[in-house]
Amino acid sequence: MAGPADATPVVEAQKRADPELKNVVEFLRGKNGPKVRRGILNGKRVDYFKGKTAVRTLLSPQYQKLKKVPVLKDEDEAKALMVRLLPHAFFLRTDRPPVPVPPPAGTPKTLHLAPQQSFDETSYYTWFYDGSPLYTILGGAAMVVIMLAGVMFPLWPIKLRIGVWYLSIGVLILVGLFIVLAIVRLIFWCITVVSMKRAIWIYPNLFEDVGFFDSFRPGWAYDEPKKKSSKKKKLAGATSSRKSKASPSTGEPIDQLAQAAGAGEPPAGSPGSPTEASATGVQVNPPPVAGGELRSRQAASIEEIDDDES
């Protein structure tokens, strides 16, 4: 379907953006930008993100450190900035229609360009901007130079070729030492598992996502089990404690049933008991007078659990 004759090309619309807006787009498209997902638009793989994620990114401390960008104080100003960016076609609103058969996990979603372009936190937006072309040009030129240098290796000076050979041997030795270290630490861990109460790892951060020097610090550490989220454990513990205090048949606290049995009264929840359940709640009727005093009743409490954000 052809667009209108007076439609502005995407590249031209992006060139018309102010320098401040371009800096904002560079930030959103960079490593600190909103999390992107992979989709398919018109048969091509694209990156898209959600509106509320972009708003949250604009209010992050990383954005506040930038210079030559619009100052944002609250969520409304962040939304207004996204509305200003939308006409320049750095990203456009796309719909993700439901499919009758859900695709396998990890499969890119099919996207369709929305006919009405507007900003909404719950909508999805597809990138039509791949970042600064300077990095693309420099990367392409570096690849060409490396390929030419490799092809023309026989024409290099003899000293330079000998230096490259020694360098390659040194790299191979370092890789071999790393493999040997990984095998030795695994053997030592297996020995400590059998002979000690707690196993010991040599260089526990060797395969962690840390810097080069931090990978070799500390020299050793005990193999401690990783702590899991305690939210479900607390919820399960609270539920089990309530069940242990309740009667299996009526669900009433055991102490309350014992008091009712000792006074010669029917337990709560049975016909003629002081507590009668209704459709709208629990109605408490005054019990018979025994000794001139009314027996106290404990009200049931309901624990509220916050829903997780989808």
Side-chain angles (χ1 to χ4, degrees):
M1 179 178 179
D6 57 348
T8 304
V10 173
V11 178
E12 294 296 331
Q14 294 177 357
K15 290 181 179 179
R16 296 178 183 177
D18 297 334
E20 290 187 350
L21 297 181
K22 290 183 179 179
N23 293 337
V24 175
V25 173
E26 291 290 345
F27 170 76
L28 293 175
R29 195 63 169 121
K31 62 179 181 179
N32 294 324
K35 180 182 178 181
V36 296
R37 310 175 187 179
R38 300 292 292 178
I40 298 177
L41 180 64
N42 296 332
K44 297 182 180 180
R45 289 181 177 267
V46 293
D47 296 336
Y48 70 98
F49 60 92
K50 203 167 186 178
K52 67 177 181 180
T53 310
V55 173
R56 192 182 306 149
T57 304
L58 292 176
L59 297 176
S60 63
Q62 290 81 2
Y63 179 83
Q64 303 298 330
K65 298 178 182 178
L66 298 179
K67 298 180 180 180
K68 297 182 180 180
V69 293
V71 179
L72 303 178
K73 298 180 180 178
D74 52 17
E75 187 175 345
D76 294 335
E77 293 184 357
K79 293 179 183 179
L81 181 58
M82 294 295 294
V83 173
R84 290 176 57 190
L85 291 172
L86 196 58
H88 296 287
F90 290 104
F91 51 83
L92 294 176
R93 180 177 177 177
T94 49
D95 297 330
R96 198 174 68 178
V99 293
V101 179
T107 304
K109 305 293 184 180
T110 302
L111 305 174
H112 296 287
L113 194 63
Q116 187 69 25
Q117 292 296 321
S118 60
F119 181 75
D120 185 11
E121 289 186 346
T122 60
S123 301
Y124 298 97
Y125 296 87
T126 301
W127 280 109
F128 287 86
Y129 178 71
D130 295 329
S132 176
L134 178 61
Y135 297 102
T136 305
I137 295 174
L138 293 178
M143 290 182 61
V144 172
V145 171
I146 293 174
M147 292 179 63
L148 287 177
V151 172
M152 299 177 65
F153 181 77
L155 301 179
W156 288 16
I158 185 65
K159 293 183 178 181
L160 191 58
R161 283 185 287 173
I162 293 175
V164 172
W165 184 82
Y166 281 118
L167 182 62
S168 61
I169 294 299
V171 172
L172 289 176
I173 292 175
L174 289 177
V175 173
L177 290 176
F178 184 82
I179 295 174
V180 171
L181 177 60
I183 295 175
V184 169
R185 69 192 292 268
L186 179 60
I187 295 174
F188 185 80
W189 179 83
C190 294
I191 294 174
T192 55
V193 165
V194 178
S195 60
M196 301 178 63
K197 295 182 179 180
R198 290 191 297 176
I200 297 177
W201 276 116
I202 301 176
Y203 300 125
N205 295 329
L206 187 62
F207 295 102
E208 297 296 332
D209 187 13
V210 294
F212 176 78
F213 296 102
D214 292 335
S215 299
F216 299 94
R217 292 182 296 195
W220 66 276
Y222 288 109
D223 186 12
E224 299 291 346
K226 295 183 178 180
K227 297 181 179 180
K228 298 182 180 180
S229 177
S230 59
K231 181 177 180 181
K232 294 183 179 180
K233 292 183 179 179
K234 291 181 180 179
L235 181 59
T239 305
S240 61
S241 63
R242 287 197 301 269
K243 288 183 178 180
S244 62
K245 295 180 181 180
S247 173
S249 58
T250 61
E252 292 291 335
I254 297 177
D255 296 339
Q256 185 176 351
L257 290 175
Q259 293 177 3
E265 299 175 2
S270 61
S273 62
T275 306
E276 297 179 358
S278 62
T280 58
V282 177
Q283 179 182 1
V284 180
N285 297 328
V289 177
E293 295 182 356
L294 296 178
R295 298 183 180 274
S296 60
R297 300 291 181 179
Q298 296 180 348
S301 61
I302 301 176
E303 182 180 0
E304 296 182 358
I305 303 175
D306 298 334
D307 296 331
D308 297 335
E309 183 180 357
S310 59

